[in-house]
Amino acid sequence: MAVYLGNAGSIELTRKSILEEKLSLVNPDDVNVARRRFSFDFDEGAFLTGDFIQITSTNDALLSFIGADGWTDGNVHSSGNWYIFVDEIGGIRLYNNFNDSLEGSKAAAVTLVDITSDIPIAVSVKDSAGRILGSVIEYELNTNREAIDVTSLSDAHRQQYSSLITGSGQLTAQWDYKNVADEETVNYLMQLVLRTEIGGIFGAKFYLKSEGASPAGGTFKPTQLNDSLWWEFDALITNSATNFAPGEIIVSTVSFVTTGAIRLRARTIVSNKLLQEDGGSIVLEQGGLLAIVDEE
Amino acid sequence: MAKFYTGRDGSLLLDGVTQAKVTSWSFSSDLETLETTTLGESHRSYTPGVQGASGSATLLYYKADDGSNDAGALLKKLIHTDPEGVTETDTVVFTLRYASGDVNNDIKFTAYVTAASFGSNVGEVASAQINFQVTGALTEASL
């Protein structure tokens, strides 16, 4: 038996939305080619910087306001996916990768093209690659199975029947608002609780043991080093609180309830990356590398 | 020996067969009283009229290993496709029992099922509720 410390855990977040898409309209006046920003009507907070969104024209028209560098094949289509930067007045810049979208610079943004007529669009938040939530101090996850009393007359002992499983928990992290590369901040979760229009759901992996983490003591095989075990679920933020005290680090506590299945997964087989003919990695559209698992 | 009775001692029998997964039963008997008070009397007086009884029971909607479903069988007394509806042959013989060792304290009677309801709720076990109306005199009342 080995003894593990909390240091072995971590939280991986996946930005997603399972709710309906936002329908809107891009007007010619909404597109600012010089600043590489455009806008459409949406409630403040509906889309957050770093979100991986899909824009689709609802009348099959081409998304002609997006320049050629915004398309992998250089040709304009009626639907595409991008990371976004949202400025303080609701303007949006499109980016081809997450890290650039956090920076929000004009230079890295996808170029825009003037349009002459309105383009009706549907916008939804797509699942993106999981990213580690930074500066987490602690977290807990509670799973609860409801038991229904099915005791009948004449029974001498209570009988229970297993029913639905619910999950809830909370996490505490040092507050920060500026993402570093490939990490999320707790500020994102605080924004998420205020997002009403398309829901405040997120995907999460709560690691009991991260890959590469070794125990603090006890017996441990070297081959276990790369093992990882985690809870995987989708959750809704129900509460966020930030504590300010003189001389103390600002910490935010976020409470959530799970929605859908909660799974406790384990990976004890090393995954291999599937490569291209030239030896390069195959990068997934939503981020991350394509991997395969050998069956031994 | 002194004894309190609880649900552990209770059971419900239909036509002499103990029903599975009964979670409760209740029984109430009433008597109509006919007033015989006359002028000049200072206290009301009554003579007994017609006696009646009714009750209810709740059964889990449960299928046994042999495929039987006691709740379903009772529900069918009222939820069925018979164009004749409920007839005089649709009576059932209930026995409501409190057992104490080998001694049974029974209320036995013939009744019509007058109400049957069941449903499906998230996070709950399906159950059926039935109400019954006793017809005729009790055939046993060994309370």
Side-chain angles (χ1 to χ4, degrees):
Chain A
M1 296 289 287
V3 180
Y4 292 90
L5 302 182
N7 312 38
S10 62
I11 294 176
E12 186 179 311
L13 291 184
T14 302
R15 298 188 182 210
K16 60 170 31 180
S17 173
I18 59 169
L19 296 186
E20 74 277 6
E21 53 200 10
K22 170 66 181 171
L23 299 175
S24 193
L25 202 65
V26 178
N27 302 309
D29 292 341
D30 291 333
V31 181
N32 188 326
V33 175
R35 292 183 181 275
R36 298 189 182 183
R37 62 183 291 279
F38 73 104
S39 62
F40 56 88
D41 292 335
F42 62 88
D43 288 350
E44 186 175 347
F47 298 104
L48 305 173
T49 293
D51 279 352
F52 187 59
I53 65 166
Q54 181 176 65
I55 305 176
T56 305
S57 69
T58 54
N59 63 353
D60 292 330
L62 299 178
L63 298 175
S64 52
F65 62 97
I66 298 172
D69 59 340
W71 307 92
T72 51
D73 61 0
N75 298 318
V76 177
H77 300 274
S78 61
S79 179
N81 303 325
W82 297 271
Y83 291 95
I84 59 169
F85 172 83
V86 186
D87 64 26
E88 66 276 13
I89 56 172
I92 289 178
R93 282 179 174 150
L94 303 177
Y95 296 86
N96 290 318
N97 65 68
F98 177 69
N99 293 335
D100 285 344
S101 73
L102 302 179
E103 198 62 37
S105 71
K106 190 179 92 172
V110 169
T111 58
L112 300 180
V113 179
D114 280 323
I115 54 175
T116 55
S117 60
D118 297 347
I119 300 177
I121 58 171
V123 184
S124 59
V125 177
K126 307 296 289 182
D127 291 6
S128 60
R131 296 184 186 86
I132 296 297
L133 181 65
S135 305
V136 175
I137 300 170
E138 61 180 348
Y139 69 81
E140 67 174 53
L141 175 67
N142 309 305
T143 51
N144 176 49
R145 179 185 285 279
E146 295 172 26
I148 301 173
D149 191 338
V150 291
T151 311
S152 307
L153 295 178
S154 304
D155 287 343
H157 299 91
R158 285 214 174 270
Q159 311 236 10
Q160 307 286 346
Y161 188 76
S162 63
S163 182
L164 304 175
I165 296 174
T166 54
S168 63
Q170 65 176 30
L171 62 92
T172 303
Q174 294 171 3
W175 180 79
D176 192 4
Y177 68 100
K178 190 70 176 173
N179 301 57
V180 294
D182 291 323
E183 279 195 5
E184 297 281 10
T185 66
V186 73
N187 196 60
Y188 167 68
L189 294 175
M190 294 162 65
Q191 290 175 306
L192 208 57
V193 74
L194 301 175
R195 187 161 79 176
T196 56
E197 199 170 22
I198 57 172
I201 196 172
F202 65 94
K205 290 181 179 177
F206 277 28
Y207 282 89
L208 293 101
K209 179 190 178 306
S210 304
E211 187 175 334
S214 54
T219 55
F220 180 77
K221 293 179 182 175
T223 53
Q224 292 178 254
L225 188 64
N226 290 323
D227 292 352
S228 55
L229 293 92
W230 67 94
W231 282 289
E232 190 169 337
F233 54 86
D234 290 341
L236 293 165
I237 308 278
T238 55
N239 180 57
S240 75
T242 304
N243 183 48
F244 295 81
E248 293 188 13
I249 295 171
I250 299 173
V251 294
S252 296
T253 301
V254 174
S255 302
F256 58 85
V257 293
T258 65
T259 176
I262 305 170
R263 294 188 172 86
L264 180 54
R265 294 184 182 279
R267 181 172 58 217
T268 55
I269 300 172
V270 178
S271 63
N272 295 314
K273 299 290 185 288
L274 192 62
L275 302 178
Q276 299 186 81
E277 288 180 356
D278 62 3
S281 300
I282 299 176
V283 181
L284 298 174
E285 189 178 41
Q286 67 269 34
L289 304 177
L290 185 62
I292 56 173
V293 177
D294 291 333
E295 290 188 17
E296 295 179 349
Chain B
M1 186 174 140
K3 175 181 172 63
F4 289 108
Y5 288 87
T6 67
R8 184 177 164 179
D9 307 307
S11 59
L12 182 149
L13 291 76
L14 177 66
D15 296 329
V17 178
T18 302
Q19 298 296 283
K21 305 301 178 187
V22 180
T23 57
S24 68
W25 58 253
S26 68
F27 181 83
S28 65
S29 182
D30 60 82
L31 170 70
E32 290 178 11
T33 51
L34 307 174
E35 189 165 356
T36 55
T37 315
T38 55
L39 296 177
E41 291 182 341
S42 56
H43 295 88
R44 290 187 181 278
S45 60
Y46 298 90
T47 189
V50 180
Q51 186 178 347
S54 62
S56 65
T58 302
L59 296 82
L60 300 182
Y61 193 76
Y62 171 81
K63 187 171 75 173
D65 287 341
D66 62 3
S68 63
N69 185 333
D70 290 342
L74 268 174
L75 289 170
K76 284 177 187 171
K77 293 293 179 185
L78 211 55
I79 302 173
H80 54 66
T81 57
D82 188 344
E84 297 289 323
V86 177
T87 64
E88 290 183 353
T89 60
D90 286 320
T91 55
V92 291
V93 176
F94 280 121
T95 304
L96 307 181
R97 173 170 291 169
Y98 268 124
S100 176
D102 294 335
V103 179
N104 294 328
N105 302 298
D106 290 347
I107 305 172
K108 189 173 180 181
F109 52 87
T110 302
Y112 286 104
V113 175
T114 55
S117 63
F118 75 122
S120 182
N121 296 300
V122 171
E124 294 181 12
V125 170
S127 62
Q129 292 79 41
I130 60 143
N131 294 346
F132 52 81
Q133 178 69 52
V134 176
T135 176
L138 302 181
T139 54
E140 188 173 345
S142 54
L143 296 174

